Every structure is written in C-alpha cells, then in structure tokens.
Amino acid sequence: MTETRLLTDHQEIRDWAAARSGIPAIRDAEELIGSDEPVLSIRFGQHAYEDDDHQGADRPEDFGGPRLVEWDEWFALFDQEGLGLVVAEDVPGQRDEFHEIIRR
C-alpha cells in the first residue's frame, strides 16, 4: 500500500502539481446532474486539453469537461470548501499522479 500525505499549503500544492505538469480545473455545478457545488480537479498532460476536432456545431466549447483555471480561482474554492489534497508520498525516480481532493 502506498503511503499518502495531506497537502493544504497552496505553494506545496502548486509545486506538487507543477512537478507533474498538472493544471488546475473546475467543473461548474450547472454541468453536473444532482450537484449544486462545483468540483475541483487537477488535469495532467494531454488530458488537460480538449480535442477540438470532436466539437459539434451545436455543442458549447467546454460542454462536459472541466474548465482550466488560474490557481487563484482554484484556491479560493479550495479554501472556501475546506478541502485538502491527498497525494502519494514521493518515491525517488517516480512521479505518481495519484491524488484525491477531500474535505478536511
């Protein structure tokens, strides 16, 4: 079982994400059925970007996907909701992207 740690410090979270080419994202509540709160995530690599070739003419650009945001906007919601980021302990020579956003 992999050891984990809880991150709440903004700079630590930014550094962790940057080491893995992570980008902050938010999926707005109105896009989610049965939810009244936006959902935070961190997107990595090619998964961070939508493929424009699959966009239909009658479909909004960001339909069904998270919206990439600046860290300031992401952290405002992170702090407002009292969240924490659980990540795998660093292992030399590995960059594990495992993470989970939880309530503190």
Side-chain angles (χ1 to χ4, degrees):
M1 181 179 215
T2 303
E3 294 294 319
T4 60
R5 61 190 170 120
L6 177 65
L7 303 179
T8 57
D9 179 76
H10 293 192
Q11 192 58 51
E12 260 192 300
I13 292 170
R14 283 181 198 231
D15 292 346
W16 181 89
R20 292 155 182 82
S21 300
I23 300 168
I26 297 175
R27 183 169 296 215
D28 293 320
E30 58 269 7
E31 294 179 16
L32 303 170
I33 296 172
S35 176
D36 58 351
E37 295 180 11
V39 176
L40 296 178
S41 65
I42 299 176
R43 309 292 291 177
F44 299 94
Q46 294 298 328
H47 300 290
Y49 302 99
E50 295 289 327
D51 183 356
D52 292 336
D53 293 340
H54 298 296
Q55 299 291 336
D58 59 345
R59 185 175 137 181
E61 276 187 37
D62 60 353
F63 180 81
R67 177 175 50 89
L68 302 181
V69 297
E70 296 296 324
W71 281 113
D72 290 343
E73 182 179 353
W74 196 89
F75 282 123
L77 187 56
F78 182 84
D79 291 337
Q80 174 187 321
E81 298 297 322
L83 303 174
L85 180 68
V86 175
V87 300
E89 282 288 350
D90 288 334
V91 175
Q94 295 180 355
R95 288 286 182 212
D96 193 338
E97 293 176 0
F98 168 79
H99 68 287
E100 184 177 359
I101 298 170
I102 64 167
R103 293 210 186 270
R104 292 185 233 167

